[in-house]
Amino acid sequence: MKAILIPDFVSDPSTLQPTSTPIPTPKPNQCLVRITYCSPQHADILHAQGKHQNNNKKRGWCFPPFVLGFDFAGEVVNSPRNGDVNTSAVFKKGDRVFGAALGAFAEYVCVDVQAIRKIPAALSDETACAMSGQAVSYASVVHIAKIKPGETVMVSGASGGLGSVCCMVAKALGAKVIALSGSADKISTIRETIGADLVLEMEGDWIEQVMGFTQGKGVDVMLDNTGMVNDAIRALAYFGRIVILGFAARKGVMEDVKMNKLLLKSVTVMGYRFGESGRRYPDELKKIWEGYLRMLETGQLKAPLYGKYTGLEDIGRALKDLEERRVCGKIVVKVASENETARL
Ligand SMILES: NC(=O)c1ccc[n+]([C@@H]2O[C@H](COP(=O)([O-])OP(=O)(O)OC[C@H]3O[C@@H](n4cnc5c(N)ncnc54)[C@H](OP(=O)(O)O)[C@@H]3O)[C@@H](O)[C@H]2O)c1
């Protein structure tokens, strides 16, 4: 099969090209999936460069040689038989599925059955692929921040994969949404694709604009994808909540936060690590996926697709666009047709 193989870490992932490698053999608890679409994210760049925490020699699990990539959609080629695997999730040949597994920038991937879900009939493989990583956004809005109708919610990194879906979920719940971006070029696209009530570039007097929009009260909730807790506290209402989701803008350097600022405004700060929470609380994870899929099926969430990328040959270009912050929404790369008969 063709795949983006990493025999050694690379300094410039935009130069990556597909090479030929054997189709992987599934373990007893795994499905073999023929990939139709894959979706690159920032973590793929770091994995290719060896800079991700997963590449850490002591605590990591991602070392060369490996096939790059994580999020994908595709079709089950073969799966464990009923009873051979300790899970309620049973798949059969031909099922359309989406999920995440290392090795997704390839024509085929082996994936644990717990890591994939059937694609609802109403969704295309392309849409499912674009939305496969954002159950975390749904969970952060509904289960962690517990946003109520009428509350004002501010989202950083709103042009990104997580941020755009945070905005859409909060809007669907009846919140007023303020979307933040670091780029003036993306403002109109964010306004068109996610329908926030206010879209702001974080320049100049943007916090004053937030205070004006909320009649001086400040926002009830901040969903932080980029690492800006100090600014969030300034824009927050008394008894406001901050959910920390990511640090996309921090370049590995964390913020110092003065505790008295939290006390003075009675602020609640919550960290949320979706993957680990799901492993510890599988019943909660099931509810999260049910709720997220319901919103997708009913059209309350629309995939914020960006650009056109065809074939694994386009992975390098996709990673470069991500690295240079050109992307607004999610890139999906078409790997094969949805209706092509599997070769295996
Ligand atoms: N908590 C969890 O369980 C969990 C799960 C998955 C991912 N994450 C983390 O959540 C964060 C967001 O993930 P994502 O998939 O939404 O990422 P993404 O699609 O790359 O979006 C991140 C956004 O952050 C903004 N940004 C500001 N400064 C940036 C910089 N220096 N480099 C790159 N982007 C920058 C960009 O928007 P503008 O250009 O508009 O400013 C970009 O659209 C990441 O840190 C990721 O690792 C957390």
Side-chain angles (χ1 to χ4, degrees):
M1 68 170 185
K2 279 200 294 183
I4 303 289
L5 187 65
I6 307 289
D8 293 299
F9 292 127
V10 294
S11 54
D12 182 3
S14 72
T15 60
L16 288 168
Q17 280 296 320
T19 53
S20 202
T21 188
I23 293 171
T25 307
K27 295 187 184 127
N29 65 329
Q30 290 186 323
C31 285
L32 179 67
V33 173
R34 181 180 71 85
I35 291 178
T36 52
Y37 290 87
C38 60
S39 181
Q41 54 180 303
H42 268 285
D44 297 316
I45 297 172
L46 301 176
H47 278 160
Q49 295 172 325
K51 292 181 180 171
H52 196 280
Q53 61 206 10
N54 298 337
N55 308 120
N56 181 286
K57 281 199 181 102
K58 280 193 187 142
R59 295 182 299 276
W61 45 262
C62 180
F63 306 106
F66 66 96
V67 174
L68 194 62
F70 226 62
D71 293 345
F72 67 87
E75 183 187 289
V76 172
V77 176
N78 63 41
S79 90
R81 286 171 305 171
N82 275 359
D84 279 4
V85 58
N86 182 21
T87 172
S88 56
V90 176
F91 300 96
K92 58 182 191 317
K93 188 172 187 281
D95 278 348
R96 294 192 310 127
V97 293
F98 69 138
L102 187 70
F105 295 167
E107 290 179 301
Y108 293 87
V109 68
C110 289
V111 54
D112 291 356
V113 289
Q114 292 88 349
I116 48 175
R117 284 174 178 77
K118 285 186 191 163
I119 299 177
L123 301 188
S124 67
D125 284 20
E126 186 181 37
T127 298
C129 180
M131 302 300 269
S132 63
Q134 287 95 288
V136 52
S137 305
Y138 172 89
S140 69
V141 173
V142 176
H143 291 245
I144 306 300
K146 298 184 172 45
I147 284 166
K148 296 186 273 302
E151 286 193 310
T152 307
V153 178
M154 188 161 79
V155 180
S156 65
S159 66
L162 295 197
S164 54
V165 178
C166 285
C167 292
M168 288 187 245
V169 175
K171 195 80 194 122
L173 292 189
K176 286 194 212 83
V177 173
I178 302 174
L180 300 178
S181 170
S183 159
D185 297 343
K186 296 182 187 173
I187 299 294
S188 58
T189 315
I190 297 173
R191 202 173 282 127
E192 282 158 28
T193 51
I194 62 177
D197 297 280
L198 180 67
V199 187
L200 287 179
E201 186 195 354
M202 289 183 296
E203 272 291 309
D205 68 349
W206 71 269
I207 293 181
E208 282 163 41
Q209 292 188 57
V210 171
M211 296 317 271
F213 181 79
T214 57
Q215 280 104 41
K217 179 187 169 209
V219 300
D220 298 301
V221 175
M222 169 70 180
L223 298 165
D224 185 12
N225 294 290
T226 60
M228 46 172 289
V229 169
N230 282 307
D231 280 344
I233 294 169
R234 290 173 60 205
L236 214 60
Y238 196 82
F239 270 131
R241 287 111 69 200
I242 300 174
V243 181
I244 300 178
L245 285 166
F247 310 104
R250 299 300 315 172
K251 297 191 190 326
V253 183
M254 293 298 117
E255 275 181 287
D256 287 327
V257 178
K258 296 235 165 32
M259 291 304 135
N260 62 326
K261 291 189 180 170
L262 302 181
L263 182 148
L264 289 170
K265 267 196 175 173
S266 290
V267 175
T268 303
V269 183
M270 295 167 269
Y272 184 47
R273 186 178 166 200
F274 177 73
E276 186 58 22
S277 305
R279 282 186 284 279
R280 286 171 188 252
Y281 303 104
D283 292 344
E284 183 83 354
L285 182 67
K286 191 165 173 283
K287 280 190 207 139
I288 289 168
W289 271 100
E290 283 167 3
Y292 180 53
L293 286 174
R294 209 174 305 121
M295 276 200 170
L296 278 167
E297 286 177 276
T298 52
Q300 287 173 289
L301 308 179
K302 301 255 185 285
L305 296 172
Y306 174 85
K308 194 166 173 58
Y309 301 80
T310 308
L312 292 168
E313 292 75 11
D314 254 355
I315 290 285
R317 179 168 70 90
L319 295 175
K320 192 174 179 62
D321 288 345
L322 270 175
E323 194 162 28
E324 294 181 351
R325 270 173 82 183
R326 273 196 280 271
V327 180
C328 195
K330 281 298 278 180
I331 290 178
V332 290
V333 179
K334 182 172 180 175
V335 179
S337 298
E338 290 182 30
N339 52 10
E340 193 180 283
T341 308
R343 278 192 267 141
L344 297 182

